[in-house]
Amino acid sequence: MPSPPAFPDSPDVEPGRPRLRSERDGVVSLTGLDTLPPDLDAAAAVVSSLLERAFGEGQHRVEAEIRVDDAATRRALQRAGLRPEGTARGRRLGSGGIPVDVLRLARLATDPAPGDPGAFLGMLNATLPRKRVIAQGIITDGEGRLLLCELTYKDHWDLPGGVVDPEESPAQTLARELREELGVDLEVGDLLAVNWLPVYRQWEDAMLLVFDVGRHPDLADRAQLQPTELRGLHWVAVDDVDAHVAPYVARMIRSLQHREPGGTIVLEDGSPRHDETP
């Protein structure tokens, strides 16, 4: 069987750069991904430009296959909106001829663009187990206010943090999210709360771990925000959080005010387990 034709006007003739390859009518694949720039934003921009070109020329699906342990390329592809679709065991041969698993990702022309709420939720549903683990941090200014993030993909503000990746501890996740989204390296301190979250709107249930990240009164001024995730940072008094956060977040923040010093509290939907108040 002959090889699929090169994508029209593709730079396939130029080795050493990412490019498009025709697979079948309306479907192209990304190749040369091992030559993506090491910087995450730059790599995602390269992939996004190829996607824009493919969809602009009438293709309906762009797909890619990468080694399951290639976390850097996976992040770049997901940042550009490609969703994981499954693992093919032993599909490639690694060093010494040993079979290795590959992850297939794809984006359709009809998928919401990265940054849209639908794209964020679609990516979560494609990448995460049904019960998710989330790590967030409490950062204060020393004057009774805590830091809240104004997000691009939902109306409510929230504590800094994110979903725990495979083979990553919750504390590592929080440190990574602070580095990626706020541009700061902060020490993650003690675990303050374990909070089970029931189904909320489009979200499945989850376990939320909240850590103490300390006092950093200048953080809102020195942070370098990731524009695809955050619109801004705000210092908010505990008594004022209800106007800005989801109800379960407000309950959790108030519950944290009653935590014994040095202890960890166990919550369900933001309230202590013995509290049956809805």
Side-chain angles (χ1 to χ4, degrees), residues 151-176:
L151 305 165
T152 61
Y153 49 84
K154 60 182 179 181
D155 295 333
H156 290 123
W157 299 354
D158 210 346
L159 296 170
V163 178
V164 178
D165 275 350
E167 300 183 10
E168 184 178 56
S169 77
Q172 289 172 332
T173 293
L174 180 53
R176 173 178 58 77

PDB file of all heavy atoms in Angstrom, residues 151-176:
ATOM      1  N   LEU A 151     -10.538  33.635  37.026  1.00  0.00           N
ATOM      2  CA  LEU A 151     -10.232  32.656  35.993  1.00  0.00           C
ATOM      3  C   LEU A 151     -10.854  33.022  34.654  1.00  0.00           C
ATOM      4  O   LEU A 151     -11.882  33.705  34.589  1.00  0.00           O
ATOM      5  CB  LEU A 151     -10.722  31.278  36.429  1.00  0.00           C
ATOM      6  CG  LEU A 151     -10.181  30.817  37.787  1.00  0.00           C
ATOM      7  CD1 LEU A 151     -10.979  29.636  38.313  1.00  0.00           C
ATOM      8  CD2 LEU A 151      -8.712  30.461  37.672  1.00  0.00           C
ATOM      9  N   THR A 152     -10.246  32.537  33.577  1.00  0.00           N
ATOM     10  CA  THR A 152     -10.756  32.820  32.242  1.00  0.00           C
ATOM     11  C   THR A 152     -11.877  31.871  31.837  1.00  0.00           C
ATOM     12  O   THR A 152     -12.648  32.189  30.935  1.00  0.00           O
ATOM     13  CB  THR A 152      -9.630  32.698  31.201  1.00  0.00           C
ATOM     14  OG1 THR A 152      -9.108  31.350  31.213  1.00  0.00           O
ATOM     15  CG2 THR A 152      -8.511  33.682  31.493  1.00  0.00           C
ATOM     16  N   TYR A 153     -11.983  30.719  32.482  1.00  0.00           N
ATOM     17  CA  TYR A 153     -12.883  29.681  31.991  1.00  0.00           C
ATOM     18  C   TYR A 153     -14.112  29.453  32.878  1.00  0.00           C
ATOM     19  O   TYR A 153     -14.883  28.536  32.634  1.00  0.00           O
ATOM     20  CB  TYR A 153     -12.126  28.353  31.822  1.00  0.00           C
ATOM     21  CG  TYR A 153     -11.301  27.937  33.010  1.00  0.00           C
ATOM     22  CD1 TYR A 153     -11.865  27.257  34.077  1.00  0.00           C
ATOM     23  CD2 TYR A 153      -9.942  28.232  33.061  1.00  0.00           C
ATOM     24  CE1 TYR A 153     -11.106  26.889  35.169  1.00  0.00           C
ATOM     25  CE2 TYR A 153      -9.173  27.865  34.147  1.00  0.00           C
ATOM     26  CZ  TYR A 153      -9.763  27.185  35.189  1.00  0.00           C
ATOM     27  OH  TYR A 153      -9.000  26.812  36.279  1.00  0.00           O
ATOM     28  N   LYS A 154     -14.297  30.261  33.938  1.00  0.00           N
ATOM     29  CA  LYS A 154     -15.529  30.178  34.707  1.00  0.00           C
ATOM     30  C   LYS A 154     -15.774  31.510  35.410  1.00  0.00           C
ATOM     31  O   LYS A 154     -14.859  32.319  35.589  1.00  0.00           O
ATOM     32  CB  LYS A 154     -15.498  29.025  35.712  1.00  0.00           C
ATOM     33  CG  LYS A 154     -14.402  29.076  36.755  1.00  0.00           C
ATOM     34  CD  LYS A 154     -14.484  27.830  37.642  1.00  0.00           C
ATOM     35  CE  LYS A 154     -13.404  27.812  38.702  1.00  0.00           C
ATOM     36  NZ  LYS A 154     -13.481  26.603  39.545  1.00  0.00           N
ATOM     37  N   ASP A 155     -17.029  31.702  35.801  1.00  0.00           N
ATOM     38  CA  ASP A 155     -17.418  33.000  36.370  1.00  0.00           C
ATOM     39  C   ASP A 155     -16.876  33.216  37.776  1.00  0.00           C
ATOM     40  O   ASP A 155     -16.476  34.327  38.130  1.00  0.00           O
ATOM     41  CB  ASP A 155     -18.940  33.119  36.388  1.00  0.00           C
ATOM     42  CG  ASP A 155     -19.541  33.138  34.989  1.00  0.00           C
ATOM     43  OD1 ASP A 155     -18.836  33.569  34.064  1.00  0.00           O
ATOM     44  OD2 ASP A 155     -20.691  32.709  34.835  1.00  0.00           O
ATOM     45  N   HIS A 156     -16.904  32.177  38.611  1.00  0.00           N
ATOM     46  CA  HIS A 156     -16.475  32.327  39.997  1.00  0.00           C
ATOM     47  C   HIS A 156     -14.953  32.410  40.109  1.00  0.00           C
ATOM     48  O   HIS A 156     -14.218  31.780  39.349  1.00  0.00           O
ATOM     49  CB  HIS A 156     -16.965  31.128  40.831  1.00  0.00           C
ATOM     50  CG  HIS A 156     -18.442  31.126  41.046  1.00  0.00           C
ATOM     51  ND1 HIS A 156     -19.253  30.077  40.668  1.00  0.00           N
ATOM     52  CD2 HIS A 156     -19.261  32.049  41.608  1.00  0.00           C
ATOM     53  CE1 HIS A 156     -20.501  30.348  40.990  1.00  0.00           C
ATOM     54  NE2 HIS A 156     -20.540  31.540  41.557  1.00  0.00           N
ATOM     55  N   TRP A 157     -14.490  33.199  41.082  1.00  0.00           N
ATOM     56  CA  TRP A 157     -13.083  33.195  41.432  1.00  0.00           C
ATOM     57  C   TRP A 157     -12.784  31.938  42.248  1.00  0.00           C
ATOM     58  O   TRP A 157     -13.699  31.245  42.714  1.00  0.00           O
ATOM     59  CB  TRP A 157     -12.729  34.432  42.251  1.00  0.00           C
ATOM     60  CG  TRP A 157     -12.972  35.733  41.534  1.00  0.00           C
ATOM     61  CD1 TRP A 157     -13.359  35.910  40.241  1.00  0.00           C
ATOM     62  CD2 TRP A 157     -12.848  37.045  42.097  1.00  0.00           C
ATOM     63  NE1 TRP A 157     -13.477  37.233  39.946  1.00  0.00           N
ATOM     64  CE2 TRP A 157     -13.174  37.966  41.061  1.00  0.00           C
ATOM     65  CE3 TRP A 157     -12.487  37.531  43.355  1.00  0.00           C
ATOM     66  CZ2 TRP A 157     -13.148  39.346  41.264  1.00  0.00           C
ATOM     67  CZ3 TRP A 157     -12.470  38.908  43.557  1.00  0.00           C
ATOM     68  CH2 TRP A 157     -12.791  39.806  42.527  1.00  0.00           C
ATOM     69  N   ASP A 158     -11.507  31.645  42.436  1.00  0.00           N
ATOM     70  CA  ASP A 158     -11.150  30.425  43.158  1.00  0.00           C
ATOM     71  C   ASP A 158      -9.768  30.575  43.776  1.00  0.00           C
ATOM     72  O   ASP A 158      -9.011  31.499  43.451  1.00  0.00           O
ATOM     73  CB  ASP A 158     -11.166  29.220  42.213  1.00  0.00           C
ATOM     74  CG  ASP A 158     -11.514  27.917  42.912  1.00  0.00           C
ATOM     75  OD1 ASP A 158     -11.476  27.884  44.165  1.00  0.00           O
ATOM     76  OD2 ASP A 158     -11.825  26.936  42.230  1.00  0.00           O
ATOM     77  N   LEU A 159      -9.450  29.659  44.677  1.00  0.00           N
ATOM     78  CA  LEU A 159      -8.109  29.611  45.246  1.00  0.00           C
ATOM     79  C   LEU A 159      -7.111  29.149  44.179  1.00  0.00           C
ATOM     80  O   LEU A 159      -7.480  28.422  43.249  1.00  0.00           O
ATOM     81  CB  LEU A 159      -8.076  28.630  46.424  1.00  0.00           C
ATOM     82  CG  LEU A 159      -8.940  28.985  47.629  1.00  0.00           C
ATOM     83  CD1 LEU A 159      -8.984  27.804  48.600  1.00  0.00           C
ATOM     84  CD2 LEU A 159      -8.427  30.235  48.334  1.00  0.00           C
ATOM     85  N   PRO A 160      -5.848  29.541  44.283  1.00  0.00           N
ATOM     86  CA  PRO A 160      -4.855  29.064  43.314  1.00  0.00           C
ATOM     87  C   PRO A 160      -4.645  27.557  43.459  1.00  0.00           C
ATOM     88  O   PRO A 160      -4.739  27.008  44.551  1.00  0.00           O
ATOM     89  CB  PRO A 160      -3.592  29.847  43.684  1.00  0.00           C
ATOM     90  CG  PRO A 160      -3.790  30.266  45.117  1.00  0.00           C
ATOM     91  CD  PRO A 160      -5.270  30.470  45.271  1.00  0.00           C
ATOM     92  N   GLY A 161      -4.370  26.916  42.341  1.00  0.00           N
ATOM     93  CA  GLY A 161      -4.130  25.475  42.352  1.00  0.00           C
ATOM     94  C   GLY A 161      -4.645  24.831  41.090  1.00  0.00           C
ATOM     95  O   GLY A 161      -4.908  25.501  40.090  1.00  0.00           O
ATOM     96  N   GLY A 162      -4.799  23.503  41.137  1.00  0.00           N
ATOM     97  CA  GLY A 162      -5.267  22.796  39.949  1.00  0.00           C
ATOM     98  C   GLY A 162      -5.386  21.310  40.183  1.00  0.00           C
ATOM     99  O   GLY A 162      -5.211  20.810  41.303  1.00  0.00           O
ATOM    100  N   VAL A 163      -5.670  20.585  39.112  1.00  0.00           N
ATOM    101  CA  VAL A 163      -5.893  19.146  39.157  1.00  0.00           C
ATOM    102  C   VAL A 163      -4.550  18.414  39.200  1.00  0.00           C
ATOM    103  O   VAL A 163      -3.605  18.765  38.478  1.00  0.00           O
ATOM    104  CB  VAL A 163      -6.715  18.694  37.936  1.00  0.00           C
ATOM    105  CG1 VAL A 163      -6.911  17.182  37.940  1.00  0.00           C
ATOM    106  CG2 VAL A 163      -8.064  19.396  37.933  1.00  0.00           C
ATOM    107  N   VAL A 164      -4.461  17.393  40.048  1.00  0.00           N
ATOM    108  CA  VAL A 164      -3.228  16.621  40.216  1.00  0.00           C
ATOM    109  C   VAL A 164      -3.015  15.729  38.999  1.00  0.00           C
ATOM    110  O   VAL A 164      -3.904  14.961  38.611  1.00  0.00           O
ATOM    111  CB  VAL A 164      -3.291  15.777  41.502  1.00  0.00           C
ATOM    112  CG1 VAL A 164      -2.030  14.933  41.646  1.00  0.00           C
ATOM    113  CG2 VAL A 164      -3.478  16.683  42.719  1.00  0.00           C
ATOM    114  N   ASP A 165      -1.845  15.833  38.397  1.00  0.00           N
ATOM    115  CA  ASP A 165      -1.488  14.991  37.257  1.00  0.00           C
ATOM    116  C   ASP A 165      -1.092  13.590  37.719  1.00  0.00           C
ATOM    117  O   ASP A 165      -0.719  13.398  38.882  1.00  0.00           O
ATOM    118  CB  ASP A 165      -0.314  15.601  36.491  1.00  0.00           C
ATOM    119  CG  ASP A 165      -0.764  16.644  35.480  1.00  0.00           C
ATOM    120  OD1 ASP A 165      -1.986  16.758  35.250  1.00  0.00           O
ATOM    121  OD2 ASP A 165       0.109  17.331  34.913  1.00  0.00           O
ATOM    122  N   PRO A 166      -1.122  12.595  36.817  1.00  0.00           N
ATOM    123  CA  PRO A 166      -0.629  11.264  37.172  1.00  0.00           C
ATOM    124  C   PRO A 166       0.818  11.315  37.648  1.00  0.00           C
ATOM    125  O   PRO A 166       1.637  12.086  37.130  1.00  0.00           O
ATOM    126  CB  PRO A 166      -0.745  10.483  35.854  1.00  0.00           C
ATOM    127  CG  PRO A 166      -1.823  11.193  35.092  1.00  0.00           C
ATOM    128  CD  PRO A 166      -1.672  12.638  35.448  1.00  0.00           C
ATOM    129  N   GLU A 167       1.120  10.502  38.656  1.00  0.00           N
ATOM    130  CA  GLU A 167       2.474  10.374  39.214  1.00  0.00           C
ATOM    131  C   GLU A 167       2.988  11.708  39.763  1.00  0.00           C
ATOM    132  O   GLU A 167       4.191  11.983  39.734  1.00  0.00           O
ATOM    133  CB  GLU A 167       3.439   9.796  38.181  1.00  0.00           C
ATOM    134  CG  GLU A 167       3.032   8.413  37.687  1.00  0.00           C
ATOM    135  CD  GLU A 167       4.026   7.811  36.719  1.00  0.00           C
ATOM    136  OE1 GLU A 167       5.136   8.373  36.568  1.00  0.00           O
ATOM    137  OE2 GLU A 167       3.696   6.784  36.111  1.00  0.00           O
ATOM    138  N   GLU A 168       2.089  12.526  40.287  1.00  0.00           N
ATOM    139  CA  GLU A 168       2.456  13.814  40.861  1.00  0.00           C
ATOM    140  C   GLU A 168       1.766  13.933  42.215  1.00  0.00           C
ATOM    141  O   GLU A 168       0.565  13.650  42.320  1.00  0.00           O
ATOM    142  CB  GLU A 168       2.002  14.933  39.920  1.00  0.00           C
ATOM    143  CG  GLU A 168       2.394  16.336  40.337  1.00  0.00           C
ATOM    144  CD  GLU A 168       1.945  17.369  39.320  1.00  0.00           C
ATOM    145  OE1 GLU A 168       0.735  17.415  39.019  1.00  0.00           O
ATOM    146  OE2 GLU A 168       2.794  18.128  38.824  1.00  0.00           O
ATOM    147  N   SER A 169       2.494  14.335  43.246  1.00  0.00           N
ATOM    148  CA  SER A 169       1.869  14.500  44.546  1.00  0.00           C
ATOM    149  C   SER A 169       1.049  15.782  44.566  1.00  0.00           C
ATOM    150  O   SER A 169       1.318  16.714  43.795  1.00  0.00           O
ATOM    151  CB  SER A 169       2.935  14.547  45.643  1.00  0.00           C
ATOM    152  OG  SER A 169       3.565  15.824  45.666  1.00  0.00           O
ATOM    153  N   PRO A 170       0.034  15.878  45.436  1.00  0.00           N
ATOM    154  CA  PRO A 170      -0.741  17.114  45.510  1.00  0.00           C
ATOM    155  C   PRO A 170       0.111  18.345  45.800  1.00  0.00           C
ATOM    156  O   PRO A 170      -0.130  19.417  45.229  1.00  0.00           O
ATOM    157  CB  PRO A 170      -1.738  16.824  46.631  1.00  0.00           C
ATOM    158  CG  PRO A 170      -1.921  15.348  46.600  1.00  0.00           C
ATOM    159  CD  PRO A 170      -0.571  14.803  46.256  1.00  0.00           C
ATOM    160  N   ALA A 171       1.098  18.215  46.692  1.00  0.00           N
ATOM    161  CA  ALA A 171       1.965  19.359  46.976  1.00  0.00           C
ATOM    162  C   ALA A 171       2.773  19.753  45.742  1.00  0.00           C
ATOM    163  O   ALA A 171       2.972  20.949  45.474  1.00  0.00           O
ATOM    164  CB  ALA A 171       2.892  19.038  48.146  1.00  0.00           C
ATOM    165  N   GLN A 172       3.243  18.774  44.980  1.00  0.00           N
ATOM    166  CA  GLN A 172       3.970  19.075  43.743  1.00  0.00           C
ATOM    167  C   GLN A 172       3.062  19.768  42.740  1.00  0.00           C
ATOM    168  O   GLN A 172       3.484  20.691  42.033  1.00  0.00           O
ATOM    169  CB  GLN A 172       4.530  17.786  43.138  1.00  0.00           C
ATOM    170  CG  GLN A 172       5.677  17.179  43.920  1.00  0.00           C
ATOM    171  CD  GLN A 172       6.073  15.810  43.382  1.00  0.00           C
ATOM    172  OE1 GLN A 172       5.245  15.081  42.813  1.00  0.00           O
ATOM    173  NE2 GLN A 172       7.330  15.440  43.560  1.00  0.00           N
ATOM    174  N   THR A 173       1.808  19.329  42.680  1.00  0.00           N
ATOM    175  CA  THR A 173       0.851  19.961  41.771  1.00  0.00           C
ATOM    176  C   THR A 173       0.677  21.429  42.104  1.00  0.00           C
ATOM    177  O   THR A 173       0.719  22.299  41.216  1.00  0.00           O
ATOM    178  CB  THR A 173      -0.518  19.261  41.858  1.00  0.00           C
ATOM    179  OG1 THR A 173      -0.401  17.941  41.347  1.00  0.00           O
ATOM    180  CG2 THR A 173      -1.575  20.023  41.066  1.00  0.00           C
ATOM    181  N   LEU A 174       0.465  21.733  43.380  1.00  0.00           N
ATOM    182  CA  LEU A 174       0.249  23.120  43.771  1.00  0.00           C
ATOM    183  C   LEU A 174       1.465  23.975  43.443  1.00  0.00           C
ATOM    184  O   LEU A 174       1.338  25.088  42.913  1.00  0.00           O
ATOM    185  CB  LEU A 174      -0.087  23.197  45.258  1.00  0.00           C
ATOM    186  CG  LEU A 174      -0.348  24.599  45.820  1.00  0.00           C
ATOM    187  CD1 LEU A 174      -1.409  25.323  45.017  1.00  0.00           C
ATOM    188  CD2 LEU A 174      -0.741  24.505  47.288  1.00  0.00           C
ATOM    189  N   ALA A 175       2.658  23.464  43.742  1.00  0.00           N
ATOM    190  CA  ALA A 175       3.876  24.217  43.422  1.00  0.00           C
ATOM    191  C   ALA A 175       3.986  24.447  41.915  1.00  0.00           C
ATOM    192  O   ALA A 175       4.357  25.542  41.464  1.00  0.00           O
ATOM    193  CB  ALA A 175       5.100  23.467  43.942  1.00  0.00           C
ATOM    194  N   ARG A 176       3.659  23.423  41.121  1.00  0.00           N
ATOM    195  CA  ARG A 176       3.718  23.568  39.660  1.00  0.00           C
ATOM    196  C   ARG A 176       2.699  24.584  39.161  1.00  0.00           C
ATOM    197  O   ARG A 176       3.007  25.425  38.299  1.00  0.00           O
ATOM    198  CB  ARG A 176       3.480  22.215  38.995  1.00  0.00           C
ATOM    199  CG  ARG A 176       3.347  22.300  37.468  1.00  0.00           C
ATOM    200  CD  ARG A 176       3.154  20.950  36.832  1.00  0.00           C
ATOM    201  NE  ARG A 176       1.985  20.248  37.323  1.00  0.00           N
ATOM    202  CZ  ARG A 176       0.727  20.526  36.959  1.00  0.00           C
ATOM    203  NH1 ARG A 176       0.477  21.525  36.124  1.00  0.00           N
ATOM    204  NH2 ARG A 176      -0.282  19.824  37.436  1.00  0.00           N
TER     205      ARG A 176
END
